[in-house]
Amino acid sequence: MKYHAFLLNLFNTAVAACKPSACMAEQLNKLDTSNGICVVGAGKAAAEMAAETYRVLGDKCYGAVVTRYGYESAGDTGKIEVLTANHPTPDNNSLVAGKVLLDLVRETPATTPILFLISGGGSSLMCLPVDDVPFADKQQLNQFLLRSGASIDEINTVRKQLSLVKGGRLAQAAKSKHVTLMISDVVGDNAGDIASGPTISDPSTKAQAAAILQKYHWTPVGSIANYLAKPEVAPKHSAPSEYHIVANAQHAIDAAIAVAQQEGWKTKVLGYDIQGEAREVAKAHAQQALACRANGERVMLFSGGELTVTVGKEYGDGGPNQEYLMALALELNGVEGISAMACDTDGVDGSKDVAGAYIDSSTLHRAVAAGVSATELLASHNSHEFFGAIDDLVITGPTNTNVNDFRAIIIE
């Protein structure tokens, strides 16, 4: 457990750099609020973004945002109402939020600009399916997509085609000028993928969405299949708009790297935007770490991005960061001098409210003593049970921001 506290400090540093209070003021101070400004937002950071907006703009702003249960801001949001809903699967409050926010945009007069506050998680928190698709069918489809192994851009393509608010449709309802501030949780920072891009025009098609569902062997549901088979509709044009990404994974990781370098560590970035199956990425990173150790390097390896876990019919609790670390521990096989931490910057990795976990050379030995098998639990995607048994889960609670994964490997 030698480096647990140090790695946790680096993770907290990365998260703090992407808090709305640390990254929004510059853009907020550029806004014209002479006629007031309507604030509309969705995402895990939405309440904190609303609080920072109110701190800077005061009573000139009003509106509503939706965030995840438990992610309400500790700060005052003034006349900006904070709604809550479920994540990662939408619930009835997600549907309510979608209606409230769309109505708010529609009712904003042409003389009052709109400020959209968008962050990761907004796809589930603000859900309003097209009229032809029942909400229950959309919920079931969302659960299928999350388990399918589909990439986030593929998932978002499907979501957008079945939504009245995603894929730029929320902004299309506006009569006035609007600006979007985004905290990015997607690899590559494609604005159209952050919360499924409710204010970003979408070039995807129904045919593309249908092809994605077929690729991942979706069992067709009548309402969705019938809607996707309908002719394409030309997209509407919204009022003039602009967007700014105020924080992302690179921003977070670079903040942690600065602290590590101040502590005398040599650092390498394996990638800010790594994607792939968690256990396969772990194997590659293990080989790089072992190579550094063999060369006598004292170095820290950093990476970000978004990993995936493809599960079958039977699976346990956990998330991509925990699965990555369990696979990493197996590949390293207890070699001395290597420690690692992997966490999701929103404080939730997968199906449980834990940010991630920690490993070192003692991990597998302690697992044996605790009566758990890393190999068996990895096969059943039950990483949460594994790290719970050896008390190496990282639990932060809601961080009120979200720029995806933070991974750091120490090689002594």
Side-chain angles (χ1 to χ4, degrees):
M1 303 294 283
K2 179 178 178 181
Y3 286 108
H4 185 282
F6 177 58
L7 287 169
L8 184 59
N9 177 59
L10 293 183
F11 172 62
N12 289 334
T13 297
V15 170
C18 295
K19 291 274 195 178
S21 57
C23 63
M24 287 180 60
E26 180 181 355
Q27 292 299 332
L28 290 173
N29 283 318
K30 295 178 181 179
L31 298 174
D32 179 5
T33 59
S34 54
N35 289 325
I37 190 164
C38 178
V39 177
V40 178
K44 294 178 185 177
E48 199 78 4
M49 294 175 84
E52 178 64 7
T53 300
Y54 176 66
R55 186 190 71 80
V56 175
L57 303 181
D59 288 332
K60 294 177 180 178
C61 58
Y62 71 95
V65 301
V66 60
T67 193
R68 189 179 190 263
Y69 298 127
Y71 278 58
E72 301 89 337
S73 174
D76 190 356
T77 60
K79 293 185 285 186
I80 305 172
E81 182 182 5
V82 176
L83 308 172
T84 55
N86 196 53
H87 181 275
T89 301
D91 64 1
N92 286 334
N93 281 344
S94 306
L95 187 63
V96 171
K99 293 176 179 177
V100 168
L101 298 180
L102 181 58
D103 287 345
L104 185 58
V105 172
R106 286 171 172 166
E107 293 164 4
T108 301
T111 54
T112 302
I114 299 174
L115 171 63
F116 291 104
L117 304 175
I118 304 300
S119 60
S123 293
S124 170
L125 299 167
M126 176 181 61
C127 187
L128 194 57
V130 293
D131 295 337
D132 294 351
V133 176
F135 183 50
D137 290 354
K138 184 79 178 291
Q139 287 176 303
Q140 291 177 356
L141 178 65
N142 191 69
Q143 291 174 329
F144 165 81
L145 289 168
L146 292 174
R147 296 194 302 264
S148 68
S151 66
I152 189 62
D153 58 320
E154 290 175 320
I155 292 173
N156 283 339
T157 294
V158 177
R159 285 169 168 168
K160 291 173 186 178
Q161 291 303 317
L162 299 170
S163 175
L164 295 176
V165 290
K166 298 176 175 64
R169 293 172 181 84
L170 184 64
Q172 288 169 6
K175 296 185 284 289
S176 60
K177 293 182 178 180
H178 44 272
V179 176
T180 303
L181 301 186
M182 295 180 160
I183 293 179
S184 172
D185 71 326
V186 301
V187 173
D189 296 331
N190 181 355
D193 281 336
I194 303 169
S196 299
T199 65
I200 307 299
S201 296
D202 173 43
S204 68
T205 64
K206 293 176 181 176
Q208 289 173 331
I212 290 167
L213 292 175
Q214 184 176 17
K215 173 183 176 181
Y216 291 99
H217 309 293
W218 172 66
T219 301
V221 173
S223 65
I224 294 173
N226 292 339
Y227 179 79
L228 293 178
K230 289 185 176 182
E232 304 287 348
V233 178
K236 297 178 181 178
H237 295 288
S238 61
S241 66
E242 61 180 281
Y243 73 87
H244 303 277
I245 294 176
V246 296
N248 60 12
Q250 181 170 346
H251 191 73
I253 292 169
D254 284 350
I257 286 173
V259 172
Q261 290 176 344
Q262 288 170 5
E263 294 292 324
W265 285 92
K266 177 184 176 182
T267 62
K268 292 182 180 179
V269 177
L270 301 179
Y272 293 107
D273 54 1
I274 293 174
Q275 291 179 291
E277 195 71 21
R279 64 179 67 186
E280 297 304 319
V281 174
K283 290 179 182 179
H285 287 186
Q287 295 308 308
Q288 290 170 293
L290 290 169
C292 289
R293 183 179 183 276
N295 292 333
E297 293 184 70
R298 183 178 186 271
V299 64
M300 291 193 66
L301 309 179
F302 288 88
S303 63
E306 183 174 31
L307 305 184
T308 55
V309 175
T310 303
V311 302
K313 292 182 178 179
E314 296 183 8
Y315 58 94
D317 292 321
N321 287 289
Q322 295 164 78
E323 177 141 331
Y324 164 88
L325 284 175
M326 192 157 57
L328 187 68
L330 285 168
E331 289 294 316
L332 296 174
N333 196 30
V335 67
E336 294 290 335
I338 301 180
S339 308
M341 184 172 286
C343 296
D344 198 316
T345 52
D346 66 358
V348 180
D349 180 43
S351 60
K352 295 292 185 180
D353 285 347
V354 300
Y358 167 86
I359 65 166
D360 60 21
S361 60
S362 71
T363 294
L364 296 182
H365 298 296
R366 289 185 288 115
V368 171
V372 293
S373 166
T375 302
E376 291 178 5
L377 292 177
L378 181 62
S380 61
H381 306 288
N382 205 350
S383 52
H384 183 266
E385 180 180 338
F386 177 80
F387 286 109
I390 60 175
D391 197 27
D392 271 346
L393 292 167
V394 175
I395 302 173
T396 62
T399 64
N400 299 105
T401 192
N402 184 20
V403 292
N404 259 330
D405 299 340
F406 170 91
R407 295 179 293 273
I409 303 173
I410 287 181
I411 299 98
E412 292 185 86

